[in-house]
Amino acid sequence: MADESEDKESPLLGHEVVGIPCRIQRLSWLDIAAVAIVLIAAAVAVASVWEPTIAMFFGQTNQLVVLGLALAIMAFCTQRQVRKLTLLYEARFGASTLQNFDAVLRNDYFASAITWQPRLVIWLLLLLPLGLSAAYKTFSGGSTDLVIYGPNADFGATAAPGYQLIGDGLSLLSMVYLPFWMNPAVNRTYGFNLYVANDTTAAILDAPLPVYLTSLQTSLQNDQSMTITAKVDATVTQNIDPSESERNDMDYWQSIKSSYSDKKGSVILSLNDAIWAGQKRGDNFDWSVTYLSRWDTSQSQTFESQAERFVTTRQTCTGTWNITRTNVSLIQVNNLEAGVEDGVKQDVISNNRLRIEEMFFQFLGEYDWTGRKTWKQRLPGSKPANPQYIPTMNTRPALVAAMLWSRLVSLDGPERWTDDDPAHRKYTELKYPIQSSDIGLVKRGRTLRRSSWLVVTLVIHPILTIAAVLGKALMFDTPVSDDFGLISLLAGVKESGVEKLRGAALSGKLKREMRVRFRDWGADVKDGYRRLELELGEEQKTDLLMEGKYYG
Protein backbone atom coordinates (compact mmCIF):
# COMPACT_ATOMS: atom_id res chain seq x y z
CA MET A 1 0.00 0.00 0.00
CA ALA A 2 2.88 2.32 0.74
CA ASP A 3 4.15 1.88 -2.80
CA GLU A 4 0.75 2.65 -4.34
CA SER A 5 0.26 5.85 -2.28
CA GLU A 6 3.71 7.07 -3.25
CA ASP A 7 2.98 6.45 -6.95
CA LYS A 8 -0.35 8.33 -6.79
CA GLU A 9 1.36 11.38 -5.31
CA SER A 10 4.21 11.39 -7.83
CA PRO A 11 4.00 14.14 -10.49
CA LEU A 12 5.82 11.77 -12.85
CA LEU A 13 2.78 9.45 -12.99
CA GLY A 14 1.83 8.85 -16.60
CA HIS A 15 5.29 9.71 -17.96
CA GLU A 16 7.56 7.16 -19.63
CA VAL A 17 9.72 5.21 -17.14
CA VAL A 18 13.17 4.54 -18.62
CA GLY A 19 14.99 3.02 -15.63
CA ILE A 20 16.24 -0.60 -15.91
CA PRO A 21 15.99 -2.71 -12.72
CA CYS A 22 18.74 -5.24 -11.95
CA ARG A 23 19.76 -7.91 -9.47
CA ILE A 24 22.68 -7.89 -7.09
CA GLN A 25 25.65 -10.10 -8.07
CA ARG A 26 28.61 -11.42 -6.19
CA LEU A 27 30.76 -11.19 -9.30
CA SER A 28 30.07 -9.47 -12.59
CA TRP A 29 31.75 -10.16 -15.90
CA LEU A 30 33.57 -6.86 -15.43
CA ASP A 31 35.07 -8.18 -12.18
CA ILE A 32 36.24 -11.37 -13.88
CA ALA A 33 37.59 -9.41 -16.84
CA ALA A 34 39.43 -7.00 -14.55
CA VAL A 35 41.15 -9.82 -12.67
CA ALA A 36 42.04 -11.61 -15.91
CA ILE A 37 43.42 -8.44 -17.49
CA VAL A 38 45.63 -7.47 -14.53
CA LEU A 39 46.97 -11.01 -14.22
CA ILE A 40 47.77 -11.21 -17.93
CA ALA A 41 49.34 -7.73 -17.92
CA ALA A 42 51.43 -8.57 -14.84
CA ALA A 43 52.51 -11.90 -16.35
CA VAL A 44 53.59 -10.22 -19.59
CA ALA A 45 55.45 -7.52 -17.67
CA VAL A 46 57.27 -9.97 -15.41
CA ALA A 47 58.09 -12.30 -18.31
CA SER A 48 59.50 -9.41 -20.35
CA VAL A 49 61.99 -8.81 -17.55
CA TRP A 50 62.61 -12.24 -16.06
CA GLU A 51 62.64 -14.58 -19.06
CA PRO A 52 66.05 -14.12 -20.76
CA THR A 53 64.86 -14.85 -24.29
CA ILE A 54 61.97 -12.39 -24.04
CA ALA A 55 64.11 -9.80 -22.24
CA MET A 56 66.74 -10.04 -24.95
CA PHE A 57 64.08 -9.74 -27.66
CA PHE A 58 62.65 -6.54 -26.20
CA GLY A 59 65.79 -4.83 -24.93
CA GLN A 60 65.69 -2.16 -22.24
CA THR A 61 63.90 0.48 -24.32
CA ASN A 62 61.05 -1.78 -25.36
CA GLN A 63 60.88 -3.29 -21.87
CA LEU A 64 60.17 0.18 -20.50
CA VAL A 65 57.41 0.57 -23.08
CA VAL A 66 55.88 -2.82 -22.22
CA LEU A 67 56.01 -2.19 -18.48
CA GLY A 68 54.59 1.30 -18.84
CA LEU A 69 51.69 0.01 -20.92
CA ALA A 70 51.07 -2.89 -18.54
CA LEU A 71 51.06 -0.60 -15.50
CA ALA A 72 48.66 1.80 -17.22
CA ILE A 73 46.24 -1.03 -18.07
CA MET A 74 46.45 -2.47 -14.57
CA ALA A 75 45.98 0.96 -13.01
CA PHE A 76 42.75 1.43 -14.94
CA CYS A 77 41.38 -1.90 -13.68
CA THR A 78 42.56 -1.29 -10.13
CA GLN A 79 41.07 2.20 -9.93
CA ARG A 80 37.67 1.03 -11.08
CA GLN A 81 37.52 -1.91 -8.67
CA VAL A 82 38.85 0.01 -5.67
CA ARG A 83 36.48 2.91 -6.35
CA LYS A 84 33.48 0.54 -6.45
CA LEU A 85 34.68 -1.15 -3.26
CA THR A 86 34.93 2.25 -1.59
CA LEU A 87 31.31 3.03 -2.51
CA LEU A 88 30.18 -0.31 -1.06
CA TYR A 89 32.17 0.28 2.11
CA GLU A 90 30.81 3.81 2.40
CA ALA A 91 27.20 2.65 2.07
CA ARG A 92 27.57 -0.23 4.51
CA PHE A 93 30.15 0.78 7.12
CA GLY A 94 31.22 4.36 6.43
CA ALA A 95 29.72 7.76 7.12
CA SER A 96 27.49 7.26 4.06
CA THR A 97 27.29 10.97 3.27
CA LEU A 98 26.27 12.43 -0.05
CA GLN A 99 29.53 14.39 -0.14
CA ASN A 100 31.55 11.16 0.19
CA PHE A 101 29.66 9.49 -2.65
CA ASP A 102 30.01 12.56 -4.82
CA ALA A 103 33.79 12.87 -4.22
CA VAL A 104 34.43 9.20 -5.00
CA LEU A 105 32.28 9.25 -8.15
CA ARG A 106 33.96 12.42 -9.43
CA ASN A 107 37.42 11.39 -8.20
CA ASP A 108 37.68 14.84 -6.60
CA TYR A 109 41.07 15.13 -4.87
CA PHE A 110 40.20 18.46 -3.22
CA ALA A 111 36.59 17.80 -2.24
CA SER A 112 35.51 19.44 1.02
CA ALA A 113 33.35 18.02 3.81
CA ILE A 114 34.33 14.38 3.23
CA THR A 115 35.71 11.91 5.74
CA TRP A 116 39.31 10.70 5.72
CA GLN A 117 38.65 7.20 4.35
CA PRO A 118 37.39 8.21 0.89
CA ARG A 119 39.94 11.03 0.73
CA LEU A 120 42.72 8.49 1.42
CA VAL A 121 41.42 6.21 -1.33
CA ILE A 122 41.13 9.06 -3.84
CA TRP A 123 44.70 10.19 -3.23
CA LEU A 124 45.98 6.61 -3.21
CA LEU A 125 44.46 6.03 -6.64
CA LEU A 126 46.25 9.17 -7.85
CA LEU A 127 49.66 8.67 -6.28
CA LEU A 128 50.04 4.90 -6.66
CA PRO A 129 50.25 4.88 -10.49
CA LEU A 130 52.59 7.87 -10.40
CA GLY A 131 54.84 6.18 -7.86
CA LEU A 132 54.91 2.88 -9.71
CA SER A 133 55.62 4.57 -13.04
CA ALA A 134 58.65 6.23 -11.46
CA ALA A 135 59.72 3.15 -9.48
CA TYR A 136 60.05 0.71 -12.37
CA LYS A 137 62.32 3.09 -14.28
CA THR A 138 64.88 2.93 -11.46
CA PHE A 139 65.65 -0.66 -12.47
CA SER A 140 67.23 0.35 -15.76
CA GLY A 141 70.89 -0.35 -16.42
CA GLY A 142 70.79 -4.14 -16.11
CA SER A 143 71.81 -6.80 -18.59
CA THR A 144 70.69 -10.20 -19.78
CA ASP A 145 72.98 -13.02 -20.87
CA LEU A 146 71.73 -15.62 -23.33
CA VAL A 147 73.72 -18.64 -24.44
CA ILE A 148 73.45 -19.07 -28.19
CA TYR A 149 74.70 -21.68 -30.61
CA GLY A 150 76.49 -20.85 -33.82
CA PRO A 151 78.27 -22.69 -36.63
CA ASN A 152 81.79 -24.06 -36.72
CA ALA A 153 84.32 -21.25 -37.10
CA ASP A 154 87.88 -20.66 -38.28
CA PHE A 155 90.47 -19.25 -35.88
CA GLY A 156 94.05 -18.27 -36.53
CA ALA A 157 96.91 -15.81 -36.24
CA THR A 158 95.10 -12.69 -37.36
CA ALA A 159 94.77 -9.03 -36.49
CA ALA A 160 91.64 -7.15 -35.56
CA PRO A 161 89.07 -6.81 -38.36
CA GLY A 162 90.15 -4.12 -40.80
CA TYR A 163 93.88 -4.43 -40.11
CA GLN A 164 94.62 -7.25 -42.53
CA LEU A 165 97.23 -6.92 -45.30
CA ILE A 166 98.30 -3.37 -44.45
CA GLY A 167 102.09 -3.91 -44.51
CA ASP A 168 104.97 -6.03 -43.33
CA GLY A 169 104.22 -5.86 -39.62
CA LEU A 170 105.34 -2.39 -38.51
CA SER A 171 101.77 -1.13 -38.15
CA LEU A 172 100.62 -4.33 -36.48
CA LEU A 173 103.38 -4.15 -33.86
CA SER A 174 102.38 -0.63 -32.83
CA MET A 175 98.70 -1.53 -32.84
CA VAL A 176 99.10 -4.50 -30.52
CA TYR A 177 101.89 -3.19 -28.27
CA LEU A 178 101.16 0.52 -27.79
CA PRO A 179 98.10 0.13 -25.47
CA PHE A 180 100.25 -1.92 -23.10
CA TRP A 181 103.21 0.48 -23.30
CA MET A 182 100.91 3.38 -22.41
CA ASN A 183 99.58 1.66 -19.29
CA PRO A 184 101.57 -1.46 -18.34
CA ALA A 185 100.10 -3.91 -15.83
CA VAL A 186 100.13 -7.64 -15.17
CA ASN A 187 97.34 -10.20 -15.47
CA ARG A 188 95.56 -7.94 -17.88
CA THR A 189 94.39 -7.99 -21.47
CA TYR A 190 95.02 -5.25 -24.03
CA GLY A 191 93.25 -4.52 -27.26
CA PHE A 192 92.37 -7.30 -29.66
CA ASN A 193 94.58 -10.14 -28.46
CA LEU A 194 97.47 -9.18 -26.14
CA TYR A 195 97.64 -10.71 -22.66
CA VAL A 196 100.34 -9.88 -20.12
CA ALA A 197 100.31 -12.70 -17.57
CA ASN A 198 103.07 -11.45 -15.25
CA ASP A 199 106.34 -9.56 -15.23
CA THR A 200 108.06 -12.19 -17.37
CA THR A 201 105.35 -13.64 -19.65
CA ALA A 202 103.23 -12.15 -22.41
CA ALA A 203 101.01 -13.85 -24.98
CA ILE A 204 99.36 -12.76 -28.23
CA LEU A 205 96.43 -15.02 -28.93
CA ASP A 206 95.10 -16.41 -32.17
CA ALA A 207 91.57 -15.14 -32.66
CA PRO A 208 88.37 -15.69 -34.65
CA LEU A 209 88.94 -14.75 -38.26
CA PRO A 210 87.44 -11.42 -39.42
CA VAL A 211 84.72 -12.96 -41.60
CA TYR A 212 83.29 -14.80 -38.59
CA LEU A 213 83.63 -11.78 -36.29
CA THR A 214 81.91 -9.52 -38.80
CA SER A 215 78.97 -11.91 -39.09
CA LEU A 216 78.61 -11.87 -35.29
CA GLN A 217 78.80 -8.08 -35.17
CA THR A 218 76.08 -7.63 -37.79
CA SER A 219 73.76 -9.85 -35.71
CA LEU A 220 73.96 -7.43 -32.77
CA GLN A 221 71.84 -4.40 -32.04
CA ASN A 222 73.40 -1.17 -30.79
CA ASP A 223 72.76 -2.00 -27.13
CA GLN A 224 73.90 -5.61 -27.40
CA SER A 225 77.26 -7.32 -27.09
CA MET A 226 78.53 -10.86 -27.26
CA THR A 227 81.33 -12.88 -25.70
CA ILE A 228 83.04 -15.71 -27.54
CA THR A 229 85.22 -18.21 -25.69
CA ALA A 230 87.43 -20.87 -27.25
CA LYS A 231 90.66 -22.78 -26.71
CA VAL A 232 93.20 -21.28 -29.11
CA ASP A 233 96.91 -21.19 -29.82
CA ALA A 234 99.01 -18.23 -28.76
CA THR A 235 102.46 -16.78 -29.39
CA VAL A 236 103.97 -16.73 -25.89
CA THR A 237 107.20 -14.98 -24.92
CA GLN A 238 108.94 -15.55 -21.58
CA ASN A 239 111.83 -13.61 -20.13
CA ILE A 240 114.43 -16.16 -18.95
CA ASP A 241 117.61 -14.22 -18.30
CA PRO A 242 121.10 -15.79 -18.37
CA SER A 243 122.46 -16.92 -15.06
CA GLU A 244 125.30 -15.01 -13.40
CA SER A 245 127.82 -17.63 -14.49
CA GLU A 246 126.61 -17.39 -18.10
CA ARG A 247 126.61 -13.62 -17.98
CA ASN A 248 130.28 -13.59 -16.91
CA ASP A 249 131.41 -16.30 -19.35
CA MET A 250 132.68 -14.72 -22.58
CA ASP A 251 132.99 -18.11 -24.24
CA TYR A 252 129.27 -18.56 -23.68
CA TRP A 253 128.49 -15.26 -25.39
CA GLN A 254 130.83 -15.98 -28.26
CA SER A 255 129.10 -19.30 -28.80
CA ILE A 256 125.67 -17.66 -28.73
CA LYS A 257 126.73 -14.90 -31.10
CA SER A 258 128.18 -17.35 -33.58
CA SER A 259 124.85 -19.18 -33.74
CA TYR A 260 123.28 -15.96 -35.04
CA SER A 261 126.08 -14.76 -37.30
CA ASP A 262 125.52 -17.17 -40.20
CA LYS A 263 123.00 -14.73 -41.66
CA LYS A 264 123.72 -11.12 -42.43
CA GLY A 265 121.82 -8.94 -40.02
CA SER A 266 121.01 -11.61 -37.46
CA VAL A 267 123.02 -9.58 -34.96
CA ILE A 268 122.11 -5.88 -35.06
CA LEU A 269 124.21 -3.52 -32.97
CA SER A 270 124.41 0.23 -32.43
CA LEU A 271 126.43 2.23 -29.97
CA ASN A 272 124.34 1.22 -26.99
CA ASP A 273 121.64 -1.24 -28.04
CA ALA A 274 121.43 -4.58 -29.78
CA ILE A 275 119.06 -7.31 -30.88
CA TRP A 276 120.10 -10.88 -31.55
CA ALA A 277 117.48 -12.92 -33.34
CA GLY A 278 117.25 -15.71 -35.92
CA GLN A 279 119.59 -18.61 -35.25
CA LYS A 280 120.59 -20.57 -38.33
CA ARG A 281 118.59 -23.76 -39.00
CA GLY A 282 119.11 -25.30 -42.42
CA ASP A 283 117.61 -23.03 -45.07
CA ASN A 284 115.58 -21.15 -42.47
CA PHE A 285 116.12 -19.62 -39.06
CA ASP A 286 114.99 -20.30 -35.52
CA TRP A 287 113.38 -17.33 -33.81
CA SER A 288 112.62 -19.10 -30.54
CA VAL A 289 115.36 -17.29 -28.57
CA THR A 290 115.89 -13.53 -28.81
CA TYR A 291 118.36 -11.32 -26.96
CA LEU A 292 117.77 -7.63 -26.33
CA SER A 293 120.21 -5.28 -24.67
CA ARG A 294 120.56 -1.55 -24.03
CA TRP A 295 123.60 -0.38 -22.09
CA ASP A 296 125.35 2.78 -20.98
CA THR A 297 129.14 2.69 -21.22
CA SER A 298 129.43 5.66 -18.90
CA GLN A 299 127.98 3.41 -16.23
CA SER A 300 130.43 0.62 -17.07
CA GLN A 301 127.64 -1.37 -18.68
CA THR A 302 128.12 -3.84 -21.53
CA PHE A 303 125.94 -5.85 -23.85
CA GLU A 304 126.54 -8.94 -21.74
CA SER A 305 125.75 -7.26 -18.40
CA GLN A 306 122.42 -5.87 -19.63
CA ALA A 307 121.36 -8.60 -22.05
CA GLU A 308 117.89 -10.10 -21.59
CA ARG A 309 116.92 -13.47 -23.04
CA PHE A 310 113.41 -14.14 -24.36
CA VAL A 311 112.05 -17.54 -25.31
CA THR A 312 109.04 -17.59 -27.64
CA THR A 313 106.83 -20.63 -28.15
CA ARG A 314 103.40 -21.48 -29.49
CA GLN A 315 101.14 -22.56 -26.61
CA THR A 316 97.45 -23.12 -25.97
CA CYS A 317 95.10 -21.15 -23.75
CA THR A 318 91.43 -20.25 -23.41
CA GLY A 319 90.56 -16.77 -24.61
CA THR A 320 87.38 -14.76 -24.25
CA TRP A 321 86.56 -11.81 -26.50
CA ASN A 322 83.90 -9.16 -26.08
CA ILE A 323 82.18 -8.19 -29.33
CA THR A 324 80.08 -5.12 -30.04
CA ARG A 325 78.88 -3.72 -33.34
CA THR A 326 81.98 -1.53 -33.58
CA ASN A 327 84.71 -3.24 -31.56
CA VAL A 328 86.27 -6.58 -30.64
CA SER A 329 88.52 -6.86 -27.58
CA LEU A 330 90.13 -9.62 -25.56
CA ILE A 331 88.79 -9.59 -22.01
CA GLN A 332 90.01 -12.77 -20.33
CA VAL A 333 92.66 -15.48 -20.71
CA ASN A 334 92.79 -18.73 -18.76
CA ASN A 335 94.88 -21.89 -18.73
CA LEU A 336 97.93 -20.46 -20.46
CA GLU A 337 100.16 -23.51 -20.73
CA ALA A 338 103.49 -21.70 -20.85
CA GLY A 339 106.59 -23.86 -21.19
CA VAL A 340 104.89 -26.79 -22.99
CA GLU A 341 105.99 -26.83 -26.62
CA ASP A 342 104.23 -28.50 -29.53
CA GLY A 343 106.72 -29.38 -32.26
CA VAL A 344 104.29 -28.85 -35.14
CA LYS A 345 102.92 -25.60 -33.77
CA GLN A 346 106.43 -24.38 -32.95
CA ASP A 347 107.56 -24.81 -36.54
CA VAL A 348 106.24 -21.37 -37.55
CA ILE A 349 108.74 -19.82 -35.13
CA SER A 350 111.63 -22.28 -35.15
CA ASN A 351 111.76 -22.81 -38.92
CA ASN A 352 110.86 -19.59 -40.72
CA ARG A 353 112.23 -16.37 -42.26
CA LEU A 354 110.82 -13.54 -40.13
CA ARG A 355 113.73 -11.01 -40.06
CA ILE A 356 112.47 -9.25 -36.95
CA GLU A 357 115.92 -7.89 -36.09
CA GLU A 358 116.17 -5.82 -39.26
CA MET A 359 112.58 -4.59 -39.25
CA PHE A 360 112.12 -3.80 -35.58
CA PHE A 361 115.55 -2.69 -34.39
CA GLN A 362 114.43 0.94 -34.25
CA PHE A 363 111.61 0.00 -31.89
CA LEU A 364 114.18 -0.61 -29.15
CA GLY A 365 114.64 3.15 -29.09
CA GLU A 366 111.00 3.97 -29.74
CA TYR A 367 109.92 1.98 -26.69
CA ASP A 368 113.08 2.73 -24.69
CA TRP A 369 113.04 1.33 -21.16
CA THR A 370 116.50 2.54 -20.03
CA GLY A 371 117.53 6.00 -21.26
CA ARG A 372 114.38 8.10 -21.03
CA LYS A 373 115.58 9.86 -17.90
CA THR A 374 118.75 10.96 -19.70
CA TRP A 375 116.63 12.63 -22.38
CA LYS A 376 114.02 13.89 -19.87
CA GLN A 377 111.29 11.95 -21.65
CA ARG A 378 108.77 10.85 -19.05
CA LEU A 379 106.55 7.84 -19.54
CA PRO A 380 103.05 8.26 -20.98
CA GLY A 381 100.56 8.93 -18.22
CA SER A 382 103.07 10.23 -15.67
CA LYS A 383 102.62 13.77 -14.33
CA PRO A 384 105.13 16.60 -14.93
CA ALA A 385 105.19 17.31 -11.20
CA ASN A 386 106.17 13.70 -10.49
CA PRO A 387 107.72 12.35 -13.71
CA GLN A 388 108.29 8.62 -14.14
CA TYR A 389 110.96 7.48 -16.58
CA ILE A 390 111.39 3.76 -15.97
CA PRO A 391 108.40 1.37 -16.35
CA THR A 392 107.35 -0.28 -13.12
CA MET A 393 107.40 -3.68 -14.80
CA ASN A 394 109.24 -5.54 -17.52
CA THR A 395 107.79 -4.40 -20.84
CA ARG A 396 110.07 -6.44 -23.12
CA PRO A 397 108.33 -9.85 -23.18
CA ALA A 398 105.29 -8.20 -24.77
CA LEU A 399 107.57 -6.31 -27.20
CA VAL A 400 109.33 -9.47 -28.40
CA ALA A 401 106.02 -11.32 -28.69
CA ALA A 402 104.63 -8.42 -30.74
CA MET A 403 107.66 -8.48 -33.04
CA LEU A 404 107.29 -12.15 -33.86
CA TRP A 405 103.48 -12.14 -34.02
CA SER A 406 103.28 -9.15 -36.35
CA ARG A 407 105.70 -10.79 -38.78
CA LEU A 408 103.86 -14.11 -38.61
CA VAL A 409 100.55 -12.43 -39.40
CA SER A 410 101.91 -10.21 -42.18
CA LEU A 411 103.93 -12.99 -43.87
CA ASP A 412 102.09 -16.22 -43.15
CA GLY A 413 98.71 -15.23 -41.70
CA PRO A 414 95.42 -16.71 -42.95
CA GLU A 415 94.65 -13.62 -45.04
CA ARG A 416 98.04 -13.56 -46.83
CA TRP A 417 97.45 -16.57 -49.04
CA THR A 418 94.23 -17.91 -50.51
CA ASP A 419 93.01 -21.45 -50.01
CA ASP A 420 93.36 -22.18 -53.74
CA ASP A 421 97.09 -21.43 -53.57
CA PRO A 422 98.32 -24.28 -51.33
CA ALA A 423 101.95 -23.81 -52.36
CA HIS A 424 102.06 -20.68 -50.22
CA ARG A 425 100.15 -22.14 -47.28
CA LYS A 426 103.14 -23.75 -45.68
CA TYR A 427 102.14 -22.95 -42.11
CA THR A 428 98.61 -24.35 -42.10
CA GLU A 429 98.62 -24.38 -38.29
CA LEU A 430 98.09 -20.60 -38.38
CA LYS A 431 94.49 -21.25 -39.45
CA TYR A 432 92.36 -23.99 -37.94
CA PRO A 433 88.67 -24.80 -37.51
CA ILE A 434 86.98 -25.11 -34.13
CA GLN A 435 83.75 -27.05 -33.72
CA SER A 436 80.68 -25.14 -32.61
CA SER A 437 80.44 -27.37 -29.52
CA ASP A 438 83.86 -26.05 -28.43
CA ILE A 439 82.92 -22.37 -28.89
CA GLY A 440 81.09 -20.59 -26.11
CA LEU A 441 78.84 -17.81 -27.36
CA VAL A 442 76.97 -15.63 -24.88
CA LYS A 443 74.87 -12.75 -26.10
CA ARG A 444 74.42 -9.85 -23.71
CA GLY A 445 71.78 -7.17 -24.06
CA ARG A 446 71.02 -4.06 -22.06
CA THR A 447 67.82 -4.76 -20.15
CA LEU A 448 66.11 -3.87 -16.90
CA ARG A 449 67.68 -5.32 -13.79
CA ARG A 450 66.08 -8.48 -12.48
CA SER A 451 65.07 -7.65 -8.94
CA SER A 452 62.46 -8.98 -6.55
CA TRP A 453 61.53 -5.35 -5.87
CA LEU A 454 60.68 -4.87 -9.53
CA VAL A 455 58.36 -7.88 -9.31
CA VAL A 456 56.76 -6.33 -6.24
CA THR A 457 56.23 -3.15 -8.24
CA LEU A 458 54.50 -5.11 -10.98
CA VAL A 459 52.19 -7.20 -8.76
CA ILE A 460 50.83 -4.41 -6.56
CA HIS A 461 48.00 -3.69 -8.99
CA PRO A 462 46.91 -7.34 -9.33
CA ILE A 463 46.92 -7.73 -5.53
CA LEU A 464 44.80 -4.62 -5.04
CA THR A 465 42.44 -5.58 -7.86
CA ILE A 466 41.88 -9.12 -6.56
CA ALA A 467 41.44 -7.83 -3.00
CA ALA A 468 38.88 -5.27 -4.21
CA VAL A 469 36.94 -7.89 -6.16
CA LEU A 470 36.87 -10.21 -3.13
CA GLY A 471 35.80 -7.34 -0.92
CA LYS A 472 32.97 -6.51 -3.30
CA ALA A 473 31.89 -10.16 -3.33
CA LEU A 474 31.68 -10.18 0.47
CA MET A 475 29.52 -7.03 0.46
CA PHE A 476 27.47 -7.95 -2.59
CA ASP A 477 24.15 -7.46 -0.74
CA THR A 478 24.90 -3.76 -0.24
CA PRO A 479 22.66 -1.67 -2.58
CA VAL A 480 25.52 -0.34 -4.73
CA SER A 481 26.01 -2.02 -8.12
CA ASP A 482 28.94 -1.89 -10.55
CA ASP A 483 27.06 0.71 -12.57
CA PHE A 484 26.24 2.90 -9.58
CA GLY A 485 26.58 6.60 -10.40
CA LEU A 486 24.77 9.91 -10.77
CA ILE A 487 21.77 8.27 -12.45
CA SER A 488 21.43 5.89 -9.49
CA LEU A 489 21.34 8.79 -7.05
CA LEU A 490 18.79 10.74 -9.07
CA ALA A 491 16.59 7.68 -9.58
CA GLY A 492 16.57 6.78 -5.91
CA VAL A 493 16.16 10.15 -4.20
CA LYS A 494 12.57 10.99 -3.29
CA GLU A 495 11.15 14.39 -4.20
CA SER A 496 11.12 15.45 -0.59
CA GLY A 497 14.81 14.65 -0.36
CA VAL A 498 15.63 16.66 -3.44
CA GLU A 499 14.11 19.73 -1.80
CA LYS A 500 16.75 19.52 0.92
CA LEU A 501 19.42 20.10 -1.72
CA ARG A 502 17.85 23.25 -3.13
CA GLY A 503 20.48 25.95 -3.74
CA ALA A 504 23.29 23.56 -4.69
CA ALA A 505 22.32 23.10 -8.33
CA LEU A 506 25.27 25.18 -9.58
CA SER A 507 27.77 25.07 -6.71
CA GLY A 508 27.39 21.38 -5.88
CA LYS A 509 28.12 22.22 -2.23
CA LEU A 510 26.07 21.76 0.92
CA LYS A 511 26.15 23.57 4.22
CA ARG A 512 26.56 20.37 6.22
CA GLU A 513 27.05 16.66 5.83
CA MET A 514 24.08 14.96 4.23
CA ARG A 515 23.73 11.30 5.17
CA VAL A 516 22.33 8.85 2.65
CA ARG A 517 20.26 5.81 3.54
CA PHE A 518 19.43 3.15 0.95
CA ARG A 519 15.99 1.75 1.78
CA ASP A 520 14.22 -1.31 0.41
CA TRP A 521 10.53 -0.32 0.06
CA GLY A 522 9.42 -3.82 -0.87
CA ALA A 523 7.89 -5.30 -4.03
CA ASP A 524 6.24 -3.05 -6.62
CA VAL A 525 3.17 -4.96 -7.73
CA LYS A 526 2.85 -3.11 -11.02
CA ASP A 527 6.43 -3.41 -12.35
CA GLY A 528 7.52 -6.62 -10.61
CA TYR A 529 10.68 -5.31 -8.95
CA ARG A 530 11.44 -4.05 -5.48
CA ARG A 531 11.60 -0.32 -5.07
CA LEU A 532 14.95 1.07 -3.81
CA GLU A 533 14.93 4.62 -2.49
CA LEU A 534 17.58 6.97 -1.12
CA GLU A 535 16.62 8.89 1.97
CA LEU A 536 18.67 12.01 2.68
CA GLY A 537 19.35 13.16 6.20
CA GLU A 538 18.41 9.83 7.77
CA GLU A 539 20.65 8.30 10.45
CA GLN A 540 19.45 4.71 10.11
CA LYS A 541 21.68 2.14 8.49
CA THR A 542 21.28 1.16 4.87
CA ASP A 543 19.10 -1.87 4.14
CA LEU A 544 20.71 -4.98 2.72
CA LEU A 545 19.31 -6.49 -0.45
CA MET A 546 18.10 -10.01 -1.15
CA GLU A 547 19.88 -12.20 -3.66
CA GLY A 548 17.88 -13.06 -6.79
CA LYS A 549 15.46 -10.13 -6.49
CA TYR A 550 15.28 -7.27 -8.97
CA TYR A 551 15.65 -3.74 -7.61
CA GLY A 552 15.07 -0.43 -9.26
Side-chain angles (χ1 to χ4, degrees), residues 154-225:
D154 288 333
F155 285 65
T158 185
Y163 288 88
Q164 283 68 41
L165 306 176
I166 60 174
D168 292 326
L170 294 172
S171 300
L172 293 181
L173 186 147
S174 296
M175 180 198 72
V176 73
Y177 182 70
L178 189 58
F180 164 70
W181 172 252
M182 297 286 290
N183 187 22
V186 298
N187 193 27
R188 179 175 169 181
T189 59
Y190 292 88
F192 180 65
N193 56 352
L194 173 61
Y195 171 62
V196 180
N198 50 53
D199 200 49
T200 61
T201 304
I204 302 181
L205 279 64
D206 292 356
L209 296 190
V211 172
Y212 180 54
L213 288 176
T214 301
S215 68
L216 295 178
Q217 287 181 300
T218 55
S219 70
L220 298 174
Q221 299 177 8
N222 290 331
D223 60 349
Q224 292 179 339
S225 63

Side-chain angles (χ1 to χ4, degrees), residues 62-99:
N62 290 327
Q63 279 181 316
L64 291 171
V65 173
V66 170
L67 266 61
L69 179 61
L71 286 172
I73 293 173
M74 291 189 291
F76 174 78
C77 296
T78 300
Q79 287 176 346
R80 189 179 191 281
Q81 294 299 320
V82 171
R83 191 175 293 116
K84 297 302 181 183
L85 176 63
T86 304
L87 293 173
L88 285 167
Y89 175 86
E90 185 65 24
R92 187 157 182 170
F93 302 110
S96 192
T97 66
L98 190 60
Q99 290 92 332

